[in-house]
Every structure is written in C-alpha cells, then in structure tokens.
Amino acid sequence: MWRPCGIFDDTYEKDISIVRTLPQQVLTITGLIALLFLPQLLGAGRITTVNLIGISVVSIMGLNILIGLTGQISLGHSAFMGVGAYTLVMLMNHLGFSFWLALPFSVLSAGLIGLLFGLPSLRIKGFYLAMATLAAQFLIPWIIVHVRPDLTGGTSTLNIAAPSILGFTFDSQVRIYYLVTFFAVASIVLTRNLQRSKIGRAFVAIRDNDLAAEIMGVEIFRYKLLSFFICSLYAGLAGALWAVWMGAINVDSFTLHESIWYLGMIIVGGLGSVPGAVFGVIFIRALEPFSHYIGPPIASYFPDAIGAAIKSGISPFVFGLVILVFLIYEPRGLGHRWEIFKHFYRRWPFSY
Amino acid sequence: MLSLVPQFFVSGLLTGSVYALIAVSIVLVYKSTRIFNFAVGELLALGGYFCYSFVVWFHFPLWLALVGALLMAVVTGLLVERLVLRPLLGQPLLTIIMATLALSVLLRGIMLMIWTGYDVAFPKNLLPGKTVVVGSVAMSAELLWAFGIAVVAFATLAYFFVKTQTGLRMRAVSQDHELAMSCGINITVVFALTWVLAVILGTLAGSLMGYRLALAPSYTPLLALKAFPAVIFGGLDSVTGALLGGLIVGIIESMVGGLIDPTMGEISAYILLLAVLLIRPEGLMGLKRIERV
Amino acid sequence: MKRIVKGISGRLGSMLAIILMLVMLGPAQSFAQKPELIPVALLGDLTGPYASVVGPMAPGAEDAVKYVNEKLGGIDGVKLKLTVKDNTGQAALGLQQYAELIATKPKPLFFGVPHTPTAEALRDKVRQDGAIGFFPSSIADLYPQGNTYGFYELYAGMAATAVKWVKDNWKEDRNPRIAIITWDQAYGKAILTPEFFAYCKEIGVDIVAQDLFGVRDVDLTTNLVRIRAQKPDWLLTNCTGSGPVGIMRAVKELGMDVKLLNMVGGDWGTIRLDPSLFEGCISVLHNISYDSDDHPGVKLVKQYLKDNNRSIKEQTNFYILGWQYILMIHKAMSDAVAKVGWDKTTVQSIMNELNHFTDWQPLDGVVKITYTEKIRSTPWLVIYKVEGGKLVPAGGKGGDGNFVSAPDMTPKQFR
C-alpha cells in the first residue's frame, strides 16, 4: 500500500484505518456534514436526482466488487435490483412486513438469485459470462411478469407505503435522501474495508489470473460465487431503496439498458477504484437529466424547422458525445485522474 | 398442434436468417478486434433509415436504394472506425466496449434529429412476389427475400474469407494482432474493413426488417437483442457458428413460442444458451483457448 | 476506523435531528391573488417507444396554448405557460423531471403524463403535491379516485365498445369469436381486465385466444398460426406503431380473413405506416376523425397544424389530446375563477369544476368530455373503420360517426 512520506503509523489501529491523517479526517467530517446539508444547498428539485445517484452508488459498489475486484462481468445487475425491489414490495404489501423487516429479506433474495446466475462462472469467462448473466436480464422480468401476476402486478406498477422509523416517515425526497445517503456511505465504507480483507485480496488474485490464483490456493469457485453473492446483495439493497425512492415499482425500470449503463458507470469511473466508481455514477447520472435540460435551449438557437428536429434528438446526442469524448481523452476513467490529482497534491510543489 | 410444427419451423428459420445477419455482424467485429459491439442495434437501424431515405426522398428503386444504403454503410463503418475506435486503439477493452455504448446513444440522437421519433415505413409493394404456400406452410415473400439476401451475403463472406488476400489478412489478424502486424499486415486497415463489413451486414438486416415492419429509433435497435444469444450459441469467434446460432435461435423461438407459449419464445433461447454454456463454455463452434499462467 | 465511525455516527445523529426540523412541507394551495402566468407541464414519452402515437401531444399542447393565449385571452387574462419534458419512456427520468418541475416557482398546477408507467409512479405524488394530473387511462392511473383524470375512456372500456359494436352488428346465430393479441407490457395489457372478460361473457362474445408478444418481436407468424387454429372472426389488440403492422402483416401472409379491432393506438400514426394492410380494420377513437373534412373543429385543428408547419406525422389523435388537455385546463380554471375569484381558487375548486364536466364538447365537438366524482375517464368514443387510408365511420349500429358511450368498465370497488 502506498504511504505518503513522513507519515508513520505508531499503533495497529492507525495502521489499519482508512482515514489516517488529520487532513483526511477533517475532509471526511466536513464532507459528511456537507452531505447532511446538501438538500438545503441544492433545493428540492434536484434532490431527486441526488437520491438516484445515491442509490446507484450503492448498486455500483456491488458491481465494482464483481467487475473491478474479481474481474467477472455481469450484465444482469439491474435485474438483481429488480429482485430486491420486488421482494421488498411483495413482503410489505402481501405479508404486511415493515420496511425494516422486509429489507434483509430483499437483500438476501437478490444475493441468492445473483449467486444462481453466477454459477456459470465456474466454467465460463469474459464475454461468455456476460452473456450468461444477460440471461438473468430476460428471465427475471419474465418471471415477474408471467409467473404470478396476481402478486407481482405483472406489467403494472405496484405502489408501496413510505417506510418510517420511530414515527419519522420517509415520505418526501428530502427525507428519503437521508435514508439513501446513510446506505450509500455505509456501502462505500463496507466496500473499502472488503477490498483490504482476505476476501478482497482473493478477489484481486482471481481478477489478475484465476489459474495462478487457484494454484496458489485460492478456491476460485467459492470466491467467484461469493463475489456474485456480495455484488447482488448490494443490488438488492439498491433495488429496495429504488422502490422507496419511486414509491412504486414497475418491471420496466429494471432493464438491460440500465444494466449496461451500470457497467458504463464503472468504466467511466475507472475499474476497481471506489472513488472512481462514485465519480462515474455522479458523472453519468447527472449527465442524463442535464442533457435533457440543456437540449431545448440549444435547439432554440436554430431556425424553427431545424430546431424542432434538433430538439427531439439533442439530448441523446449530447449524452453520447460527452461520454465518447470523455472516453477518448480519459480512457482510464475518472478514478485514474483522481489518483493523479492525489499524487500531485502529495508531492506538491515537486513534480515527483 | 403438431400439424403446425412445419410452419413454426419454417417461420423460425426465415426470421432466424435475419438474426444470423446481425449475429455475424457482431462476431466479425469481436473476432478481429475483441470488441463486443453494443452499437450494432443502432447501426442496423441507421442502415435501414438510409435505405428508407433513398426510396422515399430520392425515389430510387429498391435495389438501387439498397446499394446506396450499403455505400452509406461503408462510409459509416469507416467513420466509426476512424472517429471512435482508432483513438482508443490500445486502451483497455472495456473502455472501447463502453465507447460503442456511447456511440449507440449518439447515433440514436442523430437518428432522432434526422428522421424524428415517429415511426416511418417504406412504401409497400416494392419487392416482387407474394406469399408462397407449400402444403400447409406459408412463407412470406419478404422473409424469403430476407433469407435469400442473407444466404447471398454469407456466401460472399465465405468466399471473401477463404479465397481473397484481404480475407486471409483479416483472419490472420483475428488470430493474433501482434503476430499479424509482424507479418506486415496493416492492422488498422483490417480493423476499418471489419467495421465496414459489420455495418454492411447490419444495414442489410435493418433494411429488411424496416421494410417488413417499420423503422423507429426506439425499437428497431432492439432487434439486436435477439442476436445476442445467437452469438454465444455459435461461439463469439466463429462466423459459421453465429450463422447457425441465428438460425437455431429463430427456430427455437418460433417452436417454443408456437407450441408452448409465445411469451416464452425469447427466454427459451436464453435457457438453452445457459445449458449450452455449461456443456461447452466456448459455444458450439467457438475456439477453445488453452490458458497458461 | 471504529473510533471514527463512532464519532461520525454520534455527530450524524444530532445533525439529523436539527435538519429534520428544517425540512418543510409544501405551501398552501390557493392563489393569494391573480398570478402572472399559469404554468402547465407535459411530461412523457416523446421520443421513446410510443413516440409515433404519443409524441404529437406536445405540439398539440403547444399550439393549443397559443390558441388559448391569443384567441381566448388566457384564463381571465392570465396566460398559460407550457413546459414540455421528454422522459424517453423511462419512469426514473420522469420522476426526476417531475421533481424539477414541481420545485419551480410557481409550480405547475397541471401535469399531462402520456406514459403509463411514469404516470403510475407519479399518481400519488401529484396528489401529495397538490397538482392535477391528466393521465393515460389505465386503472392504476385513475383509481382510487385522486387528483388524476383520464385522457379518454379506460382501455378496457374501449375494448368493450369495440366488442359491443361487433356483437351489435353480428348476423350469424353463433357468438362472434374474438382473439386477443396484444403487447406484453402495461399499455398493451390494459385491456385485459376481469370487467372486460365478464362483459364479453355477458353480451355473448367468445374470447377464443389470448396471445402476447414483445415490442421487439419482428415476426408474428407463429402467434397468428396459433390464433388461426381457434378460427376467430376478429382480432383485438391494444398496441401501436410496429405492433399492429406486425399483426396484420402476418395475417396477410397467412392468407387469413380477419380484421383488427384496435383502440387509440390504431389512429393515423399507425395506419399511415401501411394503409392497405389495415383496410377494413376498426379503430375506436376518442375524437372525431381528421378525415371528416367539413367538421368546423377539425378544420380549426388542421388550420393550426398547417400554420405551425407541423408534419403530417403529427396529425394524429394525440395532437388533439394535447388540445383537449389545454382546453380542459382553460375551461376548468376559468369556471372556477369566475365562481369564487382568484383568491379562493384552489386545486379542490378546480377539481370540482372538472368533476362536473357533462357532455362538454370543445372544438365544436371534436371531443366530448364527461367526468364525475366517481368516474374519472370520459366515456365518449367514436368507432371508425379504415377505408382507403382514411378513418371513416364504421357503419352499422353504433358506428354512425357520432359519440357513443362506452360500457362502464370501472372496477367494482371504485364505482
């Protein structure tokens, strides 16, 4: 692990802590306080997007473990989120569970389903595996829609009651923000720690070369499945939060398109980097409403006839173009840029 | 129900030929560049739109419009390679795959700007012929044309790969980039050619399906999803495999859909896909790679 | 690490308590005085999968706002301001755009949401935020009765109207046999309600098959072969764009002699894709056909289409729906203001006006609207037939080109 010069760990506690230096502590605490006041800073309109970013951060942390650490690709992440969301809603609506009681079940169910679709990873790798997980993206919605439409609502939307704790109800986006932020921060901390544990190192060994890892005594199959399981646990949590965020779930929300874009967020962020993944989520999730927001004003600069045509296509055009240009100039993702910035900061005023 | 089996089989086979076109388009790119092309759906829709525009805006006859669309496909393929893939040469694979994803959104934006989000359809009765009925089996003229065009395309492709120098070079590149380069093959030219071929196949599929139904930037690209299982069935790096995979997926979809439940058609392909992958991880005709540490 | 987390969580707890007190709820709903403008929102799938039908609602509403502001002098002199957002058929994006709109000041009082899943997700929020929704007519969008009003009759009610027309004009002794083939998603399946099936049984129409297909299925031969085995007299669907084209293409290729009963999805946007294919098919629409040339309302709408350089693809029933949306706002608000004055006009008083719309016919009767306290979808429909690429009255009993009232398909518990 990289250690900046002149910083010494004199206790074991210091040696294993994530937030180690005073500036880091100050930054962390200020950051968390800033997070608490974010709704007041941004206003109620944008907090919905911020909540989606938070939910996606939870989701991405899982995918980051699978793709970034273990090197397995999953194209079924959104479907696993769907499993979490539907389990939650099912338990709350049909069995009368409270949100807090249903949450562990929904997380766990997504984990188990993810485990099931991770089974082919025993034999297949790379894009073949991606395609096997792609099957989840078709099978799970099919099951939701066709097996018991009386319970799952089929293709129509199910509404859920807002969860509450000690008389405090999460019924507005600003309130939901605190719920989402709590879980987002928790999952970031969890992932950071997992990365440095025995399990995390086994994952990295598998990513770098699974054959070599096996020879060195890493039980590949077990750890690959564990990776799928953990990844889907996060997905389940994110799905449950999604259900609360929307107050309603529809099978339409958990599409292949979403899954592919989760993969996209990881890549834009930089593989395997936790801050990178967070940046990637923010970048893509904010770019989408932004591109829809600036589309019409851009179109208004053109004469009427062309303007109408441009108005309809400008948002996806801007969205695609920005990401494309970004990838061309920053192919290693935002996480890489972040590392460069950190090194620059540490060594300043020297160049190295 | 059993008397309908031949009908299901034939409709599946005919539709499968279109899936096969798309599957081969994906495989060609994967084989020589190791990139999974997520923009294939948008590229095929774009091809369909070009063909449509030649017919409707310039009043070309259909065959000429198709030729025009193929020429546009060449241009598109070259542009895609030059503007998107070339700058990313040598970067991590996932980044390039992501770039094709971004490209797909960009292309959707372009399609929306030029042709709007409203559906468009070709004027009808441009293709001669009517439904052929053999016994109890009805074969749509349009799908037969699609099948025929697909067969011709595959035959040309096979000839190209087996008999021509360029084809040989492309095969060499698909085996090993560095080795091919050291033999004096200009790898960027080969990549460009690959993209051109891929876009041409997509354009064929897009024009055929656009002619049969309608074109829209929203749902025409979804056709590509049908080809994904086909690609894996055959093995990501086998053109013959993709061809067979496309036909098999078409047939399975139609048979399961017809005999059991239409909504199960699509997922049955995926279930079978999972089974195939567990038995033969490299697909039916894929190359088994030996790994060393 | 532990120490830090502990410290943070302690601070977090006290912080939370402070912030929760700062959290405010929405302000009261009435106008204190005459506002400067009345913002109106339209948020839906304008370039996504249903664009060819739904998309023209935006230009329709834009043109209608012009009409209201210029010709009718706004609402008691106050101009309407329309904001259009395109969520490309993604409910999540729709929710974000909704939040953005509702946070603007003054917030829009009206939301037109032409996308079923988005509307279903926004239904409760519209009520909480004290706005009025103009939503697609699926049951989950409108019931239990809240702040939402349907564009037109429930889809099941339209299907029932179509089926009733078939039955009323049925000459043979046996019951007519109808096969359902529709999209496997919320909009396509909105016709398949228990009330609809009970109604079919009641009037003596046999539903012989129920087939579903996906938006990306390009060849429906297989589905139609299955249906052919059941020997239907009519096909019934609720889809648009490539869906009906795919169905009728397979019908033609298989040499079957059946026609399609479609709902609002069977309007010009779909028929123009291949007019010959749809010859003789039935579309149940909520408005008078564009092809009734001497109708004064149709003339006005066509004039606006022409004056604003709208393309032929925008000449669909959702263009009229855009008008209906804006004119409805105009009437309901003008009436409410005339009755109680601006200072007492609330969402409730506007809804009172809406709930008492009885056979209101804007645009000289291009559409006909009746809402009540209980029934939140207007039951008036016209049955049209495709003839030479035009929609003309279907003929027969109930098909004379006038509005007919749809059988009530509201679920029992909400009646």
Side-chain angles (χ1 to χ4, degrees):
Chain A
M1 183 167 282
W2 283 88
R3 292 287 153 87
C5 285
I7 292 168
F8 305 105
D9 299 324
D10 40 20
T11 61
Y12 281 116
E13 207 183 29
K14 259 191 190 169
D15 187 47
I16 58 166
S17 67
I18 290 178
V19 183
R20 53 178 67 248
T21 61
L22 189 67
Q24 277 180 341
Q25 284 178 5
V26 170
L27 272 180
T28 313
I29 306 238
T30 358
L32 285 174
I33 291 173
L35 272 184
L36 282 178
F37 286 100
L38 200 62
Q40 276 68 33
L41 282 173
L42 281 179
R46 291 191 197 97
I47 210 69
T48 311
T49 308
V50 174
N51 284 346
L52 182 62
I53 290 175
I55 293 167
S56 308
V57 163
V58 174
S59 180
I60 275 295
M61 283 303 132
L63 202 59
N64 196 26
I65 290 171
L66 189 72
I67 299 179
L69 291 190
T70 325
Q72 313 289 308
I73 301 177
S74 165
L75 285 180
H77 204 62
S78 171
F80 301 141
M81 277 176 71
V83 172
Y86 267 90
T87 313
L88 183 87
V89 175
M90 257 359 63
L91 290 175
M92 284 175 74
N93 285 6
H94 297 302
L95 295 180
F97 281 33
S98 74
F99 171 77
W100 305 103
L101 192 58
L103 189 65
F105 288 100
S106 88
V107 172
L108 207 63
S109 66
L112 290 176
I113 299 285
L115 187 72
L116 194 67
F117 281 95
L119 280 175
S121 67
L122 169 64
R123 295 209 54 182
I124 54 183
K125 303 177 181 174
F127 252 84
Y128 289 99
L129 181 60
M131 289 295 146
T133 53
L134 181 68
Q137 200 60 64
F138 287 84
L139 288 171
I140 291 172
W142 187 86
I143 290 168
I144 290 172
V145 172
H146 293 281
V147 174
R148 286 298 296 275
D150 51 329
L151 294 181
T152 56
T155 46
S156 51
T157 305
L158 288 180
N159 290 72
I160 64 162
S164 62
I165 187 164
L166 304 174
F168 180 80
T169 314
F170 294 95
D171 55 358
S172 71
Q173 288 293 335
V174 175
R175 290 166 172 223
I176 290 171
Y177 168 80
Y178 293 105
L179 184 72
V180 168
T181 311
F182 169 73
F183 281 112
V185 172
S187 30
I188 291 173
V189 173
L190 215 66
T191 314
R192 269 249 121 128
N193 278 329
L194 184 85
Q195 234 176 353
R196 311 177 315 148
S197 68
K198 178 190 163 198
I199 300 173
R201 282 192 289 271
F203 286 166
V204 174
I206 293 174
R207 175 190 70 190
D208 290 347
N209 191 326
D210 56 349
L211 223 54
E214 193 171 21
I215 291 162
M216 283 164 62
V218 177
E219 286 173 76
I220 294 198
F221 189 44
R222 194 176 135 212
Y223 279 105
K224 273 187 180 172
L225 284 187
L226 189 63
S227 177
F228 267 99
F229 180 67
I230 295 175
C231 161
S232 312
L233 288 181
Y234 283 93
L237 177 59
L241 291 174
W242 176 291
V244 173
W245 174 66
M246 275 207 119
I249 51 166
N250 190 304
V251 72
D252 264 19
S253 299
F254 307 105
T255 54
L256 175 62
H257 181 261
E258 281 284 311
S259 278
I260 298 178
W261 277 109
Y262 282 126
L263 186 61
M265 289 172 202
I266 293 255
I267 296 167
V268 166
L271 281 175
S273 142
V274 170
V278 176
F279 295 144
V281 169
I282 296 173
F283 184 78
I284 289 187
R285 283 294 188 206
L287 183 61
E288 192 173 15
F290 180 71
S291 67
H292 277 272
Y293 183 74
I294 59 158
I298 293 180
S300 65
Y301 283 107
F302 293 89
D304 259 3
I306 311 169
I310 288 186
K311 197 155 84 186
S312 63
I314 190 81
S315 311
F317 183 82
V318 169
F319 185 73
L321 193 69
V322 169
I323 293 182
L324 207 55
V325 170
F326 171 82
L327 285 174
I328 288 172
Y329 288 101
E330 197 67 80
R332 288 176 183 279
L334 286 162
H336 181 63
R337 181 60 44 188
W338 172 244
E339 287 300 319
I340 291 173
F341 170 75
K342 272 204 311 203
H343 283 270
F344 173 77
Y345 166 77
R346 278 186 193 149
R347 284 163 184 64
W348 191 82
F350 307 108
S351 49
Y352 52 85
Chain B
M1 262 318 193
L2 278 180
S3 61
L4 299 175
V5 168
Q7 173 73 61
F8 294 148
F9 184 83
V10 172
S11 345
L13 187 71
L14 295 181
T15 322
S17 67
V18 179
Y19 300 166
L21 278 173
I22 306 164
V24 172
S25 164
I26 296 172
V27 164
L28 276 179
V29 171
Y30 184 84
K31 205 168 148 59
S32 60
T33 59
R34 303 280 141 202
I35 295 165
F36 192 93
N37 179 12
F38 273 119
V40 66
E42 273 71 14
L43 285 169
L44 79 89
L46 190 69
Y49 270 121
F50 280 135
C51 191
Y52 162 83
S53 307
F54 282 121
V55 170
V56 173
W57 298 351
F58 305 113
H59 303 289
F60 285 8
L62 191 63
W63 65 270
L64 193 61
L66 198 58
V67 172
L70 292 183
L71 285 177
M72 290 306 285
V74 173
V75 176
T76 318
L78 287 175
L79 280 178
V80 166
E81 200 277 333
R82 184 69 195 84
L83 297 180
V84 181
L85 281 312
R86 186 89 58 89
L88 285 169
L89 210 65
Q91 296 298 345
L93 267 185
L94 274 176
T95 305
I96 309 183
I97 291 165
M98 178 68 211
T100 66
L101 191 59
L103 176 70
S104 76
V105 184
L106 182 77
L107 286 177
R108 199 161 69 82
I110 293 176
M111 283 190 278
L112 280 170
M113 284 188 204
I114 304 180
W115 293 280
T116 72
Y118 308 130
D119 301 25
V120 296
F122 286 73
K124 295 300 158 181
N125 307 321
L126 297 174
L127 273 178
K130 54 183 183 203
T131 310
V132 180
V133 183
V134 182
S136 65
V137 180
M139 284 175 277
S140 128
E142 287 152 6
L143 280 182
L144 278 178
W145 273 104
F147 191 73
I149 290 175
V151 167
V152 171
F154 291 132
T156 320
L157 213 57
Y159 176 83
F160 174 75
F161 277 125
V162 178
K163 295 283 180 189
T164 64
Q165 275 283 318
T166 326
L168 202 63
R169 283 200 191 109
M170 287 179 71
R171 279 163 64 202
V173 170
S174 74
Q175 292 279 324
D176 192 315
H177 290 178
E178 277 148 33
L179 216 58
M181 276 202 279
S182 60
C183 293
I185 295 173
N186 188 343
I187 199 163
T188 47
V189 170
V190 170
F191 283 176
L193 200 62
T194 310
W195 278 94
V196 166
L197 280 180
V199 178
I200 284 181
L201 287 173
T203 300
L204 283 175
S207 308
L208 289 168
M209 273 308 130
Y211 179 76
R212 190 170 150 70
L213 291 175
L215 287 166
S218 54
Y219 59 73
T220 308
L222 295 182
L223 194 55
L225 294 187
K226 297 282 191 183
F228 286 0
V231 171
I232 303 293
F233 255 127
L236 266 169
D237 43 15
S238 162
V239 174
T240 335
L243 174 60
L244 284 181
L247 298 179
I248 291 173
V249 167
I251 292 166
I252 291 172
E253 226 181 68
S254 177
M255 295 283 252
V256 173
L259 295 175
I260 303 170
D261 181 355
T263 58
M264 279 184 70
E266 192 173 84
I267 61 157
S268 61
Y270 279 94
I271 294 173
L272 200 75
L273 167 82
L274 280 177
V276 166
L277 282 179
L278 286 178
I279 300 161
R280 273 188 68 87
E282 62 284 345
L284 287 178
M285 312 193 78
L287 220 56
K288 201 174 172 107
R289 287 183 188 272
I290 298 167
E291 273 187 74
R292 280 171 233 269
V293 179
Chain C
M1 183 61 223
K2 259 185 209 154
R3 182 169 50 87
I4 287 165
V5 167
K6 224 179 189 175
I8 290 166
S9 64
R11 261 163 261 190
L12 204 113
S14 54
M15 234 19 126
L16 257 180
I18 299 168
I19 280 162
L20 298 181
M21 289 182 204
L22 295 174
V23 174
M24 288 197 305
L25 291 171
Q29 298 308 321
S30 83
F31 294 97
Q33 67 224 24
K34 200 166 168 176
E36 280 174 20
L37 312 150
I38 296 170
V40 173
L42 180 67
L43 190 169
D45 176 15
L46 305 177
T47 54
Y50 318 121
S52 50
V53 167
V54 172
M57 188 167 172
E62 278 163 14
D63 294 353
V65 165
K66 258 183 225 167
Y67 173 78
V68 166
N69 286 348
E70 286 162 16
K71 298 278 160 61
L72 304 183
I75 295 167
D76 189 23
V78 182
K79 299 249 154 86
L80 291 178
K81 182 174 169 287
L82 178 72
T83 315
V84 177
K85 295 271 176 193
D86 173 18
N87 79 342
T88 67
Q90 295 174 52
L93 185 58
L95 185 65
Q96 295 173 55
Q97 289 168 335
Y98 170 80
E100 193 188 308
L101 286 171
I102 205 81
T104 51
K105 293 211 158 83
K107 71 175 184 195
L109 272 185
F110 295 88
F111 282 87
V113 186
H115 181 240
T116 307
T118 310
E120 284 173 353
L122 290 182
R123 207 184 89 88
D124 287 344
K125 297 186 174 62
V126 167
R127 192 179 52 218
Q128 278 169 12
D129 294 328
I132 296 174
F134 189 54
F135 278 17
S137 300
S138 76
I139 289 160
D141 281 338
L142 305 181
Y143 298 100
Q145 291 86 349
N147 289 26
T148 48
Y149 292 84
F151 293 154
Y152 29 58
E153 171 57 23
L154 293 176
Y155 292 111
M158 293 187 196
T161 311
V163 167
K164 181 168 183 287
W165 177 83
V166 169
K167 180 67 181 178
D168 285 349
N169 298 293
W170 191 247
K171 303 282 187 315
E172 291 175 45
D173 288 338
R174 63 182 175 85
N175 282 346
R177 299 161 66 82
I178 290 181
I180 299 175
I181 172 167
T182 191
W183 265 348
D184 191 6
Q185 32 87 313
Y187 157 60
K189 281 166 51 172
I191 54 172
L192 309 175
T193 66
E195 289 77 22
F196 170 68
F197 290 116
Y199 181 77
C200 288
K201 205 172 227 175
E202 186 192 314
I203 63 165
V205 169
D206 297 339
I207 303 293
V208 292
Q210 262 190 68
D211 241 23
L212 299 171
F213 66 100
V215 180
R216 54 180 174 268
D217 285 331
V218 286
D219 182 38
L220 301 181
T221 317
T222 308
N223 303 52
L224 264 297
V225 167
R226 278 165 64 95
I227 286 177
R228 188 175 61 179
Q230 308 297 328
K231 301 188 183 60
D233 303 304
W234 285 91
L235 299 175
L236 178 72
T237 192
N238 191 32
C239 60
T240 177
S242 67
V245 176
I247 295 171
M248 288 317 284
R249 195 147 284 266
V251 164
K252 186 180 159 201
E253 285 162 6
L254 289 170
M256 291 164 71
D257 184 31
V258 290
K259 295 295 172 199
L260 188 65
L261 302 165
N262 201 349
M263 315 299 123
V264 285
D267 86 320
W268 295 268
T270 302
I271 288 164
R272 276 190 212 106
L273 294 174
D274 192 351
S276 63
L277 211 53
F278 291 108
E279 191 69 23
C281 291
I282 298 293
S283 299
V284 177
L285 301 183
H286 77 293
N287 57 289
I288 298 290
S289 164
Y290 280 104
D291 302 310
S292 24
D293 289 322
D294 45 2
H295 192 287
V298 172
K299 270 188 199 158
L300 175 77
V301 171
K302 278 188 165 172
Q303 191 57 43
Y304 265 79
L305 275 164
K306 207 174 138 203
D307 291 348
N308 292 295
N309 292 321
R310 301 298 183 192
S311 84
I312 183 78
K313 292 199 185 84
E314 282 163 341
Q315 189 180 321
T316 68
N317 56 359
F318 266 70
Y319 180 81
I320 292 178
L321 208 60
W323 276 79
Q324 180 187 329
Y325 173 43
I326 298 300
L327 292 176
M328 193 182 87
I329 292 169
H330 175 253
K331 178 166 164 67
M333 276 199 84
S334 305
D335 289 0
V337 169
K339 256 184 211 159
V340 295
W342 281 105
D343 53 336
K344 292 204 185 64
T345 300
T346 58
V347 166
Q348 200 50 50
S349 64
I350 298 170
M351 276 175 59
N352 270 341
E353 294 304 319
L354 280 167
N355 288 340
H356 293 95
F357 273 13
T358 310
D359 300 349
W360 176 55
Q361 301 196 31
L363 293 170
D364 299 310
V366 170
V367 284
K368 189 169 173 181
I369 298 166
T370 301
Y371 292 125
T372 68
E373 201 70 57
K374 288 270 170 200
I375 306 293
R376 295 301 176 79
S377 56
T378 169
W380 300 105
L381 300 167
V382 202
I383 303 168
Y384 282 109
K385 182 165 79 181
V386 184
E387 218 175 83
K390 289 185 171 175
L391 284 169
V392 299
K397 192 170 169 239
D400 54 358
N402 289 321
F403 285 102
V404 290
S405 180
D408 187 4
M409 290 290 123
T410 318
K412 291 237 160 43
Q413 66 267 34
F414 303 126
R415 278 186 198 176

